[in-house]
Amino acid sequence: MAKVELPRALEEYFAFAETEPTRRGRRFSITLPYLHGERLERLQWWWHVSPAEEQMYEGKGVEVLRERAVGRFRRHIERWLDMTHQRLHGEDAIPRIGPLLEPQSQQRTGSQPSSAVADSVDPNRWPARRMAS
């Protein structure tokens, strides 16, 4: 199942910003807003460019480093979605986050994954707790 089900590339939903430059360089952020239910939330990625890095790549250091930061942020989002079993979806300007849907074959048959991990996590198989009164 795809973790990102959007009509456009994920990068097209990113917002970019820069803070005030300092002697130590420039700081940038990349933000992905998303709706979780009715709440507006965001994921953010910060990156820094020193004056020396800015002059790299024939004066195009900021553009090259921005491209790298976008790639890293995208991989971070994909790993986060994978680890939390969620997906980004929707047709609006701001994507929605929701639970990862089960594949069609599991929905029809109702079968569960047959792994030792799935068996050990099944709450129906846990022993009942006994409480002292």
Side-chain angles (χ1 to χ4, degrees):
M1 180 91 218
K3 309 272 187 295
V4 178
E5 301 169 0
L6 299 170
R8 299 186 310 265
L10 181 60
E11 290 84 354
E12 292 186 32
Y13 295 90
F14 293 170
F16 299 91
E18 179 180 0
T19 63
E20 282 293 317
T22 65
R23 296 180 315 185
R24 300 180 71 194
R26 298 166 62 185
R27 285 184 44 118
F28 300 89
S29 71
I30 308 169
T31 305
L32 172 66
Y34 64 91
L35 291 169
H36 186 228
E38 295 303 315
R39 274 191 335 238
L40 181 62
E41 297 189 14
R42 70 176 187 263
L43 290 172
Q44 246 180 353
W45 187 266
W46 287 87
W47 55 287
H48 175 267
V49 177
S50 69
E53 290 173 322
E54 195 169 345
Q55 298 307 314
M56 291 172 50
Y57 306 103
E58 299 173 4
K60 298 192 184 297
V62 172
E63 291 86 8
V64 171
L65 295 171
R66 175 181 167 163
E67 188 175 314
R68 288 181 185 171
V70 166
R72 288 182 180 141
F73 187 41
R74 180 183 176 85
R75 284 190 303 276
H76 172 74
I77 291 168
E78 290 169 349
R79 283 192 305 256
W80 175 69
L81 291 170
D82 189 44
M83 296 297 291
T84 59
H85 304 288
Q86 298 183 95
R87 66 188 177 108
L88 284 172
H89 61 93
E91 300 289 326
D92 298 328
I94 299 176
R96 293 190 166 278
I97 193 161
L100 190 61
L101 301 177
E102 293 182 28
Q104 292 293 338
S105 62
Q106 283 188 355
Q107 285 179 359
R108 276 187 249 126
T109 63
S111 64
Q112 296 294 322
S114 60
S115 70
V117 173
D119 289 340
S120 66
V121 176
D122 184 6
N124 296 326
R125 303 188 86 177
W126 292 349
R129 290 188 180 185
R130 296 182 187 171
M131 299 182 73
S133 40

